[in-house]
Every structure is written in structure tokens, then in C-alpha cells.
Amino acid sequence: MSIPEENNSEGSQPEVTLASVRPLTKVLVVAPTNTNTQEEWTAENPQFTLYSHDTGPNGFKVAMIMNELGLKYRTVLLDFGTGPTGMNTPYFESINPNARIPALVDHSVPGIPSGNGTGIPQGSHPCDPEEPKRGGLVVWESGACITYLARKYDVENRLWAPTIEEQSQIETWLFYQVTGQSPYLGQAMWFTHYHHENLPSAAARYVSETRRVLTVLERQLTRPNSNGWLVLGRITVADIAYLHFYLHCKRIKIYLEYEFPAVWDWIHRIKKRKTFVGGKVPSGGSVRG
């Protein structure tokens, strides 16, 4: 679920949305200087294309992890609906049959057909006519994108782990994010602000479930020897996955700094990382109709 841009930051922290960059006419290529990728991948020829939305938290978390790993990518911003730059179009459905963001194309790997998801769009994006010529391996759903990047490209295990046992601990909390935090908070936001009918009981249920998940996280972050991280006593992809959704909690009247101080400290430690800034599109950035 995408969350509109107004009032979506905690306290005085910087905005997370990309709405301020409209109109956009160019391709964003993020190429951190700490790259550990093959030399043939350049700013002009990035290894990855990330399909995202300018206010969708799920795209931001994939972008931040690519920044952490020094991977070169560009972002194509899509809109909702069936318009020329929409998600519900033959162009994007040929990449992701579910027609939702994020979707990630690794142009270094030959495409493996999965439904229509070959990485070779049907037709072309109006701002990106060259994309159908590239192709590649498509991964969609944010959790799948994250685990693919971590397993294949985090060769130093900075955000991942070397053993199956340790990986299972990271995956436990990553899957909790995609099945618990994200759906509950997204529905809380929907029924609080966007549903066509006022349904206080629905909003209250999802806000309550959001608080329940936060209570679980607060306990996990304050357990002995946690160092303030979810698992392994250090930052992993699981920690990053939670960040962007929790920047919107004030909009459903959950005040992290007072109710869940360990979570508040945790998300702001992640936000201070240089890669968080790279996860936003600077002015003049991505493909956008």
C-alpha cells in the first residue's frame, strides 16, 4: 500500500516521499561510491531497474538495501491505475503479474519466465522507450527482492549471515514485517484516512494490531545482548525492512517516542545511515509520466 506524502515523517525528521520531485523526466541512477559490483555496471548502464512508487514504503526499503550493498540501479516510478504510467497496464503486468510495486529486474541474469514476468515489458513506458530491449531476471514482492539481493550480493554478510541457522533468524523477522507490520499499518492508514465510508471499528482494529506488533518489537529490541537490533546483535536486512512504514505512525495517532521508545531509537539509528538519503530520489531523478 502507498501512503500519500503529507505529514508522513516523525518529528522533524526529513521527508521520505518522492512527491517533491514532480515532474520527472529522467532516469535516476544510484551509484554509491562504496560499490562492490562488477566494473561493467556504470551509471549509464545500471545493473538493476527498480519499479516503485513515489510514496510507497515497500520500494524504499529495497532501494536502501541496494544502496547498502553498493549496487547500481535506476528507479522507474509508476502510478496507480490504468493510465500510461500506471501499474495496471500491459507494460508493468508483463513484469509483475500482480501489478504492484516493488518489482526488481536484475539485468545481469537471463530472464526466467514466471507468469508473464520475463523482465521484457510488453510495449514501453512512455518515458522509457529503451527498457524493453534490456530484459533480465524479475523478482517481485519486497521480501523476495530483499532476500535475493542479500543472498546473492551481500558477499561480506554485512546485512545477511553465513549460516542457514543465522539466516533463518533474519528471515523470521523479515517475514514478520511483510505479514504483520506492513499489512496492519497499511490497513490502519487506509481505514483512518482513505476509505469511502467511515468505519471506526475497522480503523480501531488495525491500529490495535499495529500497536500489538510494536509491542513485540519493543520486547525484541530490549532483550539482553540485543544491542538494540532484532537479531544477531547487529543491523540486518530485517531491521531495514521495518523502517519506512514506521515513519508514518503519527498519522494513526501512535507516538513512538512516548509509547515505544526502543522502536523510536531503532528507526532513527537506521535513518542516520548515509544509505537512507540515497533511498530517496533527488530532484531531477526518476522516470515518471
Side-chain angles (χ1 to χ4, degrees), residues 156-176:
E156 298 176 355
N157 292 308
R158 294 174 56 243
L159 303 174
W160 197 234
T163 69
I164 292 175
E165 293 78 11
E166 290 178 323
Q167 292 170 14
S168 73
Q169 299 306 295
I170 298 173
E171 290 172 331
T172 294
W173 289 93
L174 177 61
F175 293 168
Y176 189 50

mmCIF file of all heavy atoms in Angstrom, residues 156-176:
data_model
loop_
_atom_site.group_PDB
_atom_site.id
_atom_site.type_symbol
_atom_site.label_atom_id
_atom_site.label_comp_id
_atom_site.label_asym_id
_atom_site.label_seq_id
_atom_site.Cartn_x
_atom_site.Cartn_y
_atom_site.Cartn_z
ATOM 1 N N GLU A 156 29.906 -10.062 1.865
ATOM 2 C CA GLU A 156 30.589 -9.853 3.144
ATOM 3 C C GLU A 156 29.654 -10.064 4.338
ATOM 4 O O GLU A 156 30.077 -9.888 5.481
ATOM 5 C CB GLU A 156 31.171 -8.436 3.183
ATOM 6 C CG GLU A 156 32.218 -8.189 2.098
ATOM 7 C CD GLU A 156 32.695 -6.752 2.098
ATOM 8 O OE1 GLU A 156 32.143 -5.928 2.868
ATOM 9 O OE2 GLU A 156 33.629 -6.446 1.333
ATOM 10 N N ASN A 157 28.418 -10.422 4.076
ATOM 11 C CA ASN A 157 27.422 -10.644 5.135
ATOM 12 C C ASN A 157 27.301 -9.443 6.063
ATOM 13 O O ASN A 157 27.184 -9.580 7.283
ATOM 14 C CB ASN A 157 27.761 -11.908 5.943
ATOM 15 C CG ASN A 157 27.582 -13.165 5.104
ATOM 16 O OD1 ASN A 157 26.537 -13.378 4.492
ATOM 17 N ND2 ASN A 157 28.617 -13.991 5.066
ATOM 18 N N ARG A 158 27.282 -8.269 5.494
ATOM 19 C CA ARG A 158 27.108 -7.046 6.281
ATOM 20 C C ARG A 158 25.674 -6.925 6.789
ATOM 21 O O ARG A 158 25.433 -6.436 7.885
ATOM 22 C CB ARG A 158 27.489 -5.834 5.437
ATOM 23 C CG ARG A 158 28.967 -5.788 5.070
ATOM 24 C CD ARG A 158 29.291 -4.662 4.105
ATOM 25 N NE ARG A 158 28.872 -3.375 4.649
ATOM 26 C CZ ARG A 158 27.939 -2.614 4.081
ATOM 27 N NH1 ARG A 158 27.307 -3.015 2.989
ATOM 28 N NH2 ARG A 158 27.624 -1.460 4.627
ATOM 29 N N LEU A 159 24.723 -7.356 5.972
ATOM 30 C CA LEU A 159 23.306 -7.319 6.349
ATOM 31 C C LEU A 159 22.684 -8.707 6.369
ATOM 32 O O LEU A 159 21.505 -8.851 6.681
ATOM 33 C CB LEU A 159 22.518 -6.441 5.366
ATOM 34 C CG LEU A 159 22.975 -5.004 5.199
ATOM 35 C CD1 LEU A 159 22.186 -4.329 4.085
ATOM 36 C CD2 LEU A 159 22.818 -4.229 6.505
ATOM 37 N N TRP A 160 23.455 -9.703 6.022
ATOM 38 C CA TRP A 160 22.992 -11.082 5.915
ATOM 39 C C TRP A 160 23.821 -11.918 6.876
ATOM 40 O O TRP A 160 24.396 -11.411 7.825
ATOM 41 C CB TRP A 160 23.111 -11.547 4.466
ATOM 42 C CG TRP A 160 22.335 -12.780 4.102
ATOM 43 C CD1 TRP A 160 22.836 -13.903 3.510
ATOM 44 C CD2 TRP A 160 20.927 -13.021 4.249
ATOM 45 N NE1 TRP A 160 21.843 -14.825 3.276
ATOM 46 C CE2 TRP A 160 20.655 -14.303 3.736
ATOM 47 C CE3 TRP A 160 19.878 -12.282 4.785
ATOM 48 C CZ2 TRP A 160 19.382 -14.872 3.738
ATOM 49 C CZ3 TRP A 160 18.603 -12.835 4.791
ATOM 50 C CH2 TRP A 160 18.373 -14.106 4.279
ATOM 51 N N ALA A 161 23.885 -13.207 6.673
ATOM 52 C CA ALA A 161 24.634 -14.079 7.584
ATOM 53 C C ALA A 161 25.151 -15.288 6.814
ATOM 54 O O ALA A 161 24.553 -15.708 5.820
ATOM 55 C CB ALA A 161 23.735 -14.525 8.741
ATOM 56 N N PRO A 162 26.240 -15.905 7.284
ATOM 57 C CA PRO A 162 26.859 -17.001 6.534
ATOM 58 C C PRO A 162 26.202 -18.354 6.741
ATOM 59 O O PRO A 162 26.381 -19.250 5.910
ATOM 60 C CB PRO A 162 28.298 -17.010 7.055
ATOM 61 C CG PRO A 162 28.195 -16.463 8.446
ATOM 62 C CD PRO A 162 27.092 -15.444 8.402
ATOM 63 N N THR A 163 25.489 -18.556 7.843
ATOM 64 C CA THR A 163 24.955 -19.895 8.122
ATOM 65 C C THR A 163 23.444 -19.927 7.947
ATOM 66 O O THR A 163 22.749 -18.905 8.104
ATOM 67 C CB THR A 163 25.278 -20.337 9.555
ATOM 68 O OG1 THR A 163 24.525 -19.545 10.487
ATOM 69 C CG2 THR A 163 26.768 -20.197 9.841
ATOM 70 N N ILE A 164 22.931 -21.113 7.645
ATOM 71 C CA ILE A 164 21.487 -21.282 7.495
ATOM 72 C C ILE A 164 20.777 -20.939 8.796
ATOM 73 O O ILE A 164 19.691 -20.335 8.792
ATOM 74 C CB ILE A 164 21.160 -22.712 7.037
ATOM 75 C CG1 ILE A 164 21.663 -22.925 5.606
ATOM 76 C CG2 ILE A 164 19.661 -22.983 7.130
ATOM 77 C CD1 ILE A 164 21.488 -24.333 5.097
ATOM 78 N N GLU A 165 21.374 -21.311 9.904
ATOM 79 C CA GLU A 165 20.755 -21.034 11.204
ATOM 80 C C GLU A 165 20.601 -19.530 11.430
ATOM 81 O O GLU A 165 19.532 -19.057 11.853
ATOM 82 C CB GLU A 165 21.572 -21.667 12.330
ATOM 83 C CG GLU A 165 21.565 -23.190 12.334
ATOM 84 C CD GLU A 165 22.493 -23.803 11.290
ATOM 85 O OE1 GLU A 165 23.320 -23.060 10.694
ATOM 86 O OE2 GLU A 165 22.399 -25.028 11.070
ATOM 87 N N GLU A 166 21.654 -18.776 11.174
ATOM 88 C CA GLU A 166 21.576 -17.321 11.344
ATOM 89 C C GLU A 166 20.654 -16.695 10.313
ATOM 90 O O GLU A 166 19.901 -15.761 10.616
ATOM 91 C CB GLU A 166 22.977 -16.715 11.256
ATOM 92 C CG GLU A 166 23.865 -17.041 12.444
ATOM 93 C CD GLU A 166 25.255 -16.467 12.286
ATOM 94 O OE1 GLU A 166 25.781 -16.457 11.156
ATOM 95 O OE2 GLU A 166 25.811 -16.012 13.289
ATOM 96 N N GLN A 167 20.701 -17.191 9.087
ATOM 97 C CA GLN A 167 19.798 -16.682 8.054
ATOM 98 C C GLN A 167 18.342 -16.886 8.444
ATOM 99 O O GLN A 167 17.483 -16.031 8.189
ATOM 100 C CB GLN A 167 20.085 -17.376 6.722
ATOM 101 C CG GLN A 167 21.420 -17.013 6.117
ATOM 102 C CD GLN A 167 21.789 -17.891 4.943
ATOM 103 O OE1 GLN A 167 20.952 -18.611 4.392
ATOM 104 N NE2 GLN A 167 23.048 -17.847 4.538
ATOM 105 N N SER A 168 18.034 -18.013 9.078
ATOM 106 C CA SER A 168 16.651 -18.275 9.486
ATOM 107 C C SER A 168 16.172 -17.256 10.511
ATOM 108 O O SER A 168 14.977 -16.904 10.551
ATOM 109 C CB SER A 168 16.521 -19.695 10.050
ATOM 110 O OG SER A 168 17.118 -19.802 11.336
ATOM 111 N N GLN A 169 17.084 -16.758 11.361
ATOM 112 C CA GLN A 169 16.704 -15.749 12.339
ATOM 113 C C GLN A 169 16.378 -14.423 11.654
ATOM 114 O O GLN A 169 15.421 -13.737 12.016
ATOM 115 C CB GLN A 169 17.829 -15.566 13.363
ATOM 116 C CG GLN A 169 18.153 -16.824 14.150
ATOM 117 C CD GLN A 169 16.920 -17.405 14.816
ATOM 118 O OE1 GLN A 169 16.324 -16.785 15.694
ATOM 119 N NE2 GLN A 169 16.509 -18.595 14.405
ATOM 120 N N ILE A 170 17.184 -14.069 10.669
ATOM 121 C CA ILE A 170 16.897 -12.856 9.899
ATOM 122 C C ILE A 170 15.572 -13.007 9.161
ATOM 123 O O ILE A 170 14.719 -12.103 9.182
ATOM 124 C CB ILE A 170 18.041 -12.569 8.904
ATOM 125 C CG1 ILE A 170 19.362 -12.313 9.648
ATOM 126 C CG2 ILE A 170 17.686 -11.380 8.018
ATOM 127 C CD1 ILE A 170 20.566 -12.197 8.738
ATOM 128 N N GLU A 171 15.371 -14.144 8.512
ATOM 129 C CA GLU A 171 14.152 -14.356 7.729
ATOM 130 C C GLU A 171 12.905 -14.373 8.610
ATOM 131 O O GLU A 171 11.832 -13.927 8.175
ATOM 132 C CB GLU A 171 14.262 -15.648 6.934
ATOM 133 C CG GLU A 171 15.264 -15.565 5.802
ATOM 134 C CD GLU A 171 15.515 -16.905 5.141
ATOM 135 O OE1 GLU A 171 15.396 -17.952 5.818
ATOM 136 O OE2 GLU A 171 15.829 -16.916 3.938
ATOM 137 N N THR A 172 13.028 -14.859 9.825
ATOM 138 C CA THR A 172 11.879 -14.854 10.736
ATOM 139 C C THR A 172 11.337 -13.450 10.917
ATOM 140 O O THR A 172 10.128 -13.199 10.800
ATOM 141 C CB THR A 172 12.279 -15.442 12.099
ATOM 142 O OG1 THR A 172 12.608 -16.826 11.930
ATOM 143 C CG2 THR A 172 11.144 -15.315 13.110
ATOM 144 N N TRP A 173 12.234 -12.497 11.176
ATOM 145 C CA TRP A 173 11.786 -11.127 11.417
ATOM 146 C C TRP A 173 11.471 -10.391 10.125
ATOM 147 O O TRP A 173 10.617 -9.496 10.106
ATOM 148 C CB TRP A 173 12.821 -10.400 12.261
ATOM 149 C CG TRP A 173 12.810 -10.937 13.651
ATOM 150 C CD1 TRP A 173 13.597 -11.937 14.167
ATOM 151 C CD2 TRP A 173 11.888 -10.583 14.687
ATOM 152 N NE1 TRP A 173 13.242 -12.214 15.462
ATOM 153 C CE2 TRP A 173 12.189 -11.396 15.816
ATOM 154 C CE3 TRP A 173 10.860 -9.668 14.790
ATOM 155 C CZ2 TRP A 173 11.495 -11.296 17.006
ATOM 156 C CZ3 TRP A 173 10.159 -9.564 15.991
ATOM 157 C CH2 TRP A 173 10.480 -10.374 17.083
ATOM 158 N N LEU A 174 12.129 -10.758 9.038
ATOM 159 C CA LEU A 174 11.770 -10.181 7.745
ATOM 160 C C LEU A 174 10.354 -10.604 7.346
ATOM 161 O O LEU A 174 9.541 -9.777 6.907
ATOM 162 C CB LEU A 174 12.773 -10.613 6.674
ATOM 163 C CG LEU A 174 12.487 -10.136 5.251
ATOM 164 C CD1 LEU A 174 12.475 -8.614 5.165
ATOM 165 C CD2 LEU A 174 13.515 -10.730 4.282
ATOM 166 N N PHE A 175 10.034 -11.880 7.515
ATOM 167 C CA PHE A 175 8.693 -12.348 7.159
ATOM 168 C C PHE A 175 7.636 -11.766 8.096
ATOM 169 O O PHE A 175 6.494 -11.541 7.692
ATOM 170 C CB PHE A 175 8.642 -13.880 7.174
ATOM 171 C CG PHE A 175 9.467 -14.533 6.103
ATOM 172 C CD1 PHE A 175 9.712 -15.896 6.142
ATOM 173 C CD2 PHE A 175 10.027 -13.798 5.074
ATOM 174 C CE1 PHE A 175 10.480 -16.508 5.162
ATOM 175 C CE2 PHE A 175 10.811 -14.394 4.092
ATOM 176 C CZ PHE A 175 11.029 -15.757 4.134
ATOM 177 N N TYR A 176 8.008 -11.521 9.343
ATOM 178 C CA TYR A 176 7.074 -10.869 10.259
ATOM 179 C C TYR A 176 6.752 -9.453 9.775
ATOM 180 O O TYR A 176 5.620 -8.970 9.917
ATOM 181 C CB TYR A 176 7.673 -10.830 11.665
ATOM 182 C CG TYR A 176 6.725 -10.372 12.745
ATOM 183 C CD1 TYR A 176 5.456 -10.923 12.876
ATOM 184 C CD2 TYR A 176 7.111 -9.400 13.664
ATOM 185 C CE1 TYR A 176 4.590 -10.507 13.877
ATOM 186 C CE2 TYR A 176 6.254 -8.983 14.668
ATOM 187 C CZ TYR A 176 4.993 -9.542 14.768
ATOM 188 O OH TYR A 176 4.141 -9.123 15.768
#
